[in-house]
Structure formats: structure tokens, C-alpha cells
Amino acid sequence: MANSMENGVKDEPKTQFTAREGTYRLMTHSDYSRQNRVGYSSTGHGNIPVRVSFVTVDDTCGPSERICFNYGRELYVYVYKGVQKAVDLSKPVDKRVYKSTSPTCHDFIVSKSSPDSTSLLVGFTGGQVQLIDSARQDASNIFNDEQLIEKTRVTCVKWLPNTPHQFLASHASGHLYLYSERLPCGPAAPTYQTFKQGDGFTVYTCKARSTRNPLYRWAVGEGAVNRFEFSPSGRYLATVSQDGCLRVFRYDNMELAGMARSYFGALTCVAWSPDCRYVAAGGEDDLLTVWSVAERRVVARGRGHRSWVADVAFDPYTSVVDGGGEPASNGNGYSSDEGGAAPAPPLVTYRIGSVGQDTQLCLWELTDDVLRRPYGRSRASVAGVASEPAPPASTGSLSARLSSLGLGGEQRREPGRRLGLLLGGHRAEKAAERAGSAAGGGGAAQRRERDRLIGTPGCPRLADCPILEPHVSCRVSHERLTALTFRRDCVVTACCDGYVCTWARPGTVTGACSSSSPAATHGDTSTVV
């Protein structure tokens, strides 16, 4: 449990927070969890993140939403009530308890043949992928059932945007597999041949007399592929891996469009902007990284978390894209600090959200003035963008110096490398060399290959990159956060303890409807930073 103490007062999670457009409120009657909340414990399940999936279907009463989430060996599907109605946890649409494996990820798609039914993909720790048809809950199809294709856990699974009967699954081995729900898997382990090869990736196809699953196997980077995400257009595929690299592919021709990397450690989450222009990623360096597809470079880093970033998402409902200074489509305005007339917003403003193992929810705004700043330009202090503090005096421990710079998380790794990156230039290379020597000689060639990006547009030094500070940063959970989703009328978060919480957007509910339970009185309001 990630509790913090300040002046002897326990920092309780907030039940509401204020952004520029108004106050978001926790809807305690809309919390989703397993049916029996007694005896909740993250022991044994903390290494399996709780994921959340949504889908909208047309039933007899009109459009209806479904929510799916996993916890431990259990999988739940409920009718999602949103912010207006209370949830009945005793009436799940579907509940499954698995004996020898645990669900790790899932993804919905609406059936083309029947608008009132859905197809749900579920990945498991044993490497299998299950396809569940809501119209026939007693029947399901399991891919890689005998573990002949892959034995490591499924880290992410997604339907292809433009090919509904195909899906992609990533694994802890660093492989991605393309499946077709219409094809069977072979009776023996597949044999592969190289189909295409590029910088840090190889695509294989199966040698077989007849077409079977998998259609393709991608080997990407080193270590696990932690997450991947298709662009809204379906043209691009973004992956984040244990080697700390973000790779963006042109999926149709299997070409690498560009890449970026973290300052250290793995990247764990990735998201696309609604217009497909930018990719946001987060990971073990505690930072938010924003990469431009057109410029093929990192355009900003976000500093606000105190531990690993677990999930990141763009908010399409509060972002302004090529709006000519007009407010967001939902009518939310921007107010000035002086209380006078609100200044005209920039032509482009992206709202990005992130949650982390520090139990913090952060909201960031990526504005036009930051995006137009050329690479290598010295930073100036502007709204939402922080100037880098001067390096501290040489006295004190290295850990304390890193902490004073605001980049030290709960997990401090490769401190010499991190300090060198902060100082830049020749000192960066020397610090990286010392860190590599202290860690031993294993993997030196691989580290050098990845470190070649340091100081380039794919991994700029902090002196060459705008540093964003969150407009909102508040603790919203007792346990580590694992998932974040923006919806039209609310924001949804999930934690590793199996709770899925709904935060109503400003103006969607009355104040009396939001915090009716005793648990809602523990936290106070967090305002704009």
C-alpha cells in the first residue's frame, strides 16, 4: 500500500479534484469490483494489473454499455451504468473463475452479424487467448490452447481496427502474434521463416501446407512487449517494451516509422492522440514521454509521478485540435488566474492523463507553444512547462541529488546514468560508462545499441526537451493504479486491488449525487496545480 505521511497527517485519497474546466467527483455508487468485497488483498495478484475494457451494443432498450475487468483468476462483465445509476454487483452479465491460469488483458468488439452481441478476447498468464461470444456464453474458442505457439504470458491483446476477424497478441517473450478467428491452430509447434527484417524487429511467417494460426510472428526489441496500441486510423502500430523503447510501425507494410526510448528502465504503457499525430508513453523512469509522428522526435517529457507510470491516455473530449482558438466541443472554458476575461486557448491543446504506482492521477496539457518549439531550444518557463532547476551542489549523496532534481522514484536504478543525462554532454557519456561498469559487463553491447539514442531527437537530454508539469496531480487510490479511461461523461480508473472507480465530469451530476457514502468523506479536494 502506497501511503504517504506529511507533517504527521495521513494523505488520504481524494474524492474530487478540480481541473481548468471544473470539478471531477468520485461516484461512490458507481464503483465496480468483485461481488464479495470482504477480504480484499493484493497479495498474489499484485503482479497482474487490473485492466478495463468497454463496448457499446444495441439491445432492445437502445444503446447499452458493457464493462469488463479482471482481478486475480476472475473475469467480470457488467452493464455499465455510468454516472447516473448505481451498480448492482450481484448481477454480472458474465462471471468466470479460472483454475490453472489468470486473465491478464482483454478487448471487446461488436459482432458485425448481430449488433446486440459482442466478442471478447481474453489473454492469460499461460499464453492462451480465449474468444468469448456473448450470444453463446457456453461456447468459446481458445487459441494456443496447448501452448505450442507460445508459453509466456499474454501482455496485451487487441482486435485489428480495419480487419474485425483478426487480432494481435503480445507476450512477455517479446513476440507478437497475428491470429484469425476463422482459422485453427496447428497440431504441432509452427516452423517459421523470415518474412521481413528491420532495425530492432523481425517479422516471420509460418511454413505450412495450409494457412493456419498464427499468420505472422513479430519479434520486437529485447524482453517483453509490455503494451501496444493501434492508431485510431489503424495505419500505425505503437509498441512499448522492456528494453525501454517506443517503436512506431506502419502496420500495413511492416516498416519502422520511428522510435524513442526512456531515460532508463522499461516503458509500460502507450496511447495515441485522437488525430494520430502524437504518441504518449510512460514507464519506469517515472516520466511521461510524448513523441511526434510527423517530426519523428520526442517533443515533451512530463514530470509529476513519484513512481512507475502504469497507464496513459489522451482525453478526446477536452482536447482542442486545429480549433482556431475555439473552446473544446463540450463547452468547457479556460479561466484566468486574475478572474477576468479568459484568454484565448492555443490552436492545439491535448489533454493527457496518466496513473501510476504512486497512486497518483496526473492531468497534463500539451499546448501549441510547446509543440512548435524546435529541437534543442533552451527551455523557458511558460504555463504548464517547467524550467529545469540548476544542478545541486556536489555535497550530499548521489541519491539525494537525484531526488532534489525531482526525478527520483521509489525504484532508483542506474543513478550514475540518470545524473549524467540530466547534466548532458560529455558528462552523460562518462556517467553512463561508470553505471555500466558498476552493473557488470553483461549486456554491454545491447546497452550501447540502445544508448546510441541518448542525445538524439528520439531521446533528447533534458536541456533540449520541454518538461511539462501536471495541471492536476492528486492521490485517488489506496493501492497502485493500473488503468485509466476517458469517457464522454466521466473518467474511469482502476487499481491493483480490483476496484474500478468512476469520476463524473463537471456538470454531469449534481453535488448531492456524488459523495453519498461514508467513505467519500475521508478525502478533500485537489485543485489545479
Side-chain angles (χ1 to χ4, degrees), residues 247 278 329 413:
R247 294 175 175 87
Y278 298 95
S329 58
R413 298 181 179 178

Side-chain angles (χ1 to χ4, degrees), residues 301-369:
R301 303 271 195 183
R303 181 180 61 195
H305 285 284
R306 298 191 294 268
S307 187
W308 296 354
V309 181
D311 201 9
V312 63
F314 281 83
D315 185 354
Y317 305 104
T318 57
S319 296
V320 181
V321 181
D322 293 336
E326 297 295 326
S329 58
N330 61 0
N332 294 327
Y334 288 76
S335 60
S336 63
D337 295 335
E338 292 77 18
L347 294 180
V348 177
T349 301
Y350 295 93
R351 169 69 61 80
I352 306 174
S354 61
V355 293
Q357 293 191 5
D358 55 0
T359 71
Q360 298 283 325
L361 166 67
C362 292
L363 298 181
W364 320 75
E365 287 188 355
L366 186 64
T367 55
D368 194 64
D369 58 335

Side-chain angles (χ1 to χ4, degrees), residues 46 49-51 155 226-227 240 266-271 280-288 305-313 353-362 479-484 494-496:
V50 175
R51 304 295 185 199
T155 57
N226 291 322
R227 298 283 286 276
V240 288
L267 288 176
T268 57
C269 52
V270 63
E284 295 178 0
D285 58 2
D286 309 346
L287 299 176
L288 173 76
H305 285 284
R306 298 191 294 268
S307 187
W308 296 354
V309 181
D311 201 9
V312 63
S354 61
V355 293
Q357 293 191 5
D358 55 0
T359 71
Q360 298 283 325
L361 166 67
C362 292
E479 296 292 341
R480 295 170 295 166
L481 293 168
T482 59
L484 172 68
C495 70
C496 66

Side-chain angles (χ1 to χ4, degrees), residues 207-212:
K207 291 182 179 180
R209 295 181 179 179
S210 60
T211 304
R212 296 179 179 272

